[in-house]
Every structure is written in C-alpha cells, then in structure tokens.
Amino acid sequence: MASEALLQRTTNVKDWLGMSGRTVLVQGAANKKSVAFRVGKSLEAAGAHVIWAVHTEARRDELAERLGTAPVLVVDAAKQDEIDACAATLGNDHPPLDGYVHSIAFADYSDGLRPFHETRREHFLEAVNVSAFSLIAMSNALAPRFREGASVVTISISTTSMASENYGYMAPVKAALDSSVVFLAKSFSPSVRFNSVRAGLLKTSSSAGIPGYLESYLFAEAATLRGKGPTTDEVADTALFLLSPRSTGINAKGLVVDAGMDVNYFDAEIVRKVSAPDR
C-alpha cells in the first residue's frame, strides 16, 4: 500500500501541490505587483478556484481586467460589518474554503520620517487594526466557512527585532501579526493551520510609500547572499506551498524569505564600503 501511495504522489507531477479544485480566498490584491495578486494567479495556475477580496469598489474596477471572471468581493478589513457581509456572501454563494490568504497592511506615513517615540496614537492603532487585528477578525468570521484541514497564510516581514527607523511603528505592528498567527493556530487547532511568510524587502507599490525605502532596499539587496533581493513571485511561491497539503506538518510558523540577508551583514564588501569608502 505504501508503494502505491508513493507512486500516486510522484506520477501526478502537474498537481504536485495538490491544489487543483481547492477554493481559496485571497485578500489584499492592489495591482499586478502586489504579493496577493501573485499568490492568486499562482493558485489559479495550480488549478485552484480563487475568490478575490479587495479593499474598495474602485480597486475592484481597476483589477477587473486582470482578474477575469473570478468572483471579486469588496471588504474593508477595518470594518466589522463589511467583514461579516463578506463571510455571509461566501457562505451563501461559494463552497467551503480550503485556504485564506491575508495580505493586508497599512501605515500612515504622511508625517514623514519621525523618531519612534513620536508615533501618533491614532496612527499606531489604525495600523494595528488594519494590518494585524484584521487577520483575527477575518478568521473569526470565516471560521464556519473553513473546510477541515484548511490553511491560512498571512504576509509579514522578515524581522521585527531590527529597529529600521524609516519602517517605524509598522515593525511592532507586524510583531503583533506574527504573534497572532501562533495564537490563532492554537485556537483553531486541529482543524485549520496558520502560518506566515516573512518576506524581506520587496519592490511593491505599497513599499514605495515608506520614507527612505529605496536606500533601505538597496542595502538589503547588497546584504543578501546572492546579491539580489527576494522577488514577489518567490514570496508567492512560499505562500502557495504553505496553502498546499504538502505543508501539513508546518503550523504556527513564520517562513523567512529574504535570500539570506539576515546572515550576511558583515559581508566583506559591505564592511569595506563603510570602513574605507574611498578604496
């Protein structure tokens, strides 16, 4: 029997991930460069049925051509009534969910670069609500919609213990998101898994709104082991794996996708540029 099962698993290479026919809600697509968009398109390529959830009607109209005939729901994850309406629509019109992708983050950087201790209370709490609590609220609303063995994946950042001044208060907010993944995994166990993809610096439209992001990105890219930063598609592929039955042994974890950046800060060339920039 074991050899027959192994043969079954190895012969169907096209559906190695086992996502064909599964239904996944993907929330947070903003444009073709966003992580959520790349995850959803990868899911479709793997044979999954994707239900998209976007922030506004305007965003739905902007993405209409790229999303084709797939169903698109509008839900502001900061508003409980819209979350409840989304869950009700899913229950009435769609099959149970095998997966949910949470790729939502917001920070108000309109004040520009400020010392962390000058963070405004309203900005911090808004970011927590949209970027972290939304995962809890959405998961709670979707609880009756999840199929046994479903997988939830959120998109976080590679480290929240580095004091990146320009990223500011979003690092503590992402730390709250990472901790929520652990507590949700426990709360929903054993029927639903929760994991995060902890991405290094990416070239996305949302990142462009962070003060001084380009300089940080160039440094981070130089610090990777390959001299090239992680791509959105690499992050999407990791999320796809975590959504699939191939990753059932992984739960309450954060998988770092940073091209080895975190081990390479003392790269000889980086040290030389700082210690002897004219040589």
Side-chain angles (χ1 to χ4, degrees), residues 43-62:
L43 283 166
E44 289 179 342
H49 170 59
V50 175
I51 304 168
W52 302 87
V54 298
H55 181 57
T56 62
E57 295 281 356
R59 184 59 49 80
R60 178 167 64 181
D61 294 341
E62 292 168 6

Side-chain angles (χ1 to χ4, degrees), residues 24-29 35-37 39 43 51 53 75 77-78 83 99-106 127-139 142 146 151-156 170 173-174 176-178 180-181 184 194-197 235 239 243:
V24 181
L25 175 67
V26 177
Q27 186 174 20
V35 174
F37 180 82
V39 173
L43 283 166
I51 304 168
V75 52
I83 291 174
Y100 165 49
V101 178
H102 172 274
S103 184
I104 309 169
F106 175 79
V128 169
N129 188 26
V130 176
S131 308
F133 187 75
S134 60
L135 175 64
I136 303 169
M138 284 292 298
S139 299
L142 296 175
F146 286 132
S151 175
V152 175
V153 177
T154 188
I155 307 301
S156 187
M170 272 302 289
V173 171
K174 287 289 190 178
L177 177 67
D178 290 342
S180 297
V181 166
L184 285 166
F194 285 77
N195 292 290
S196 67
V197 180
V235 174
L243 289 165

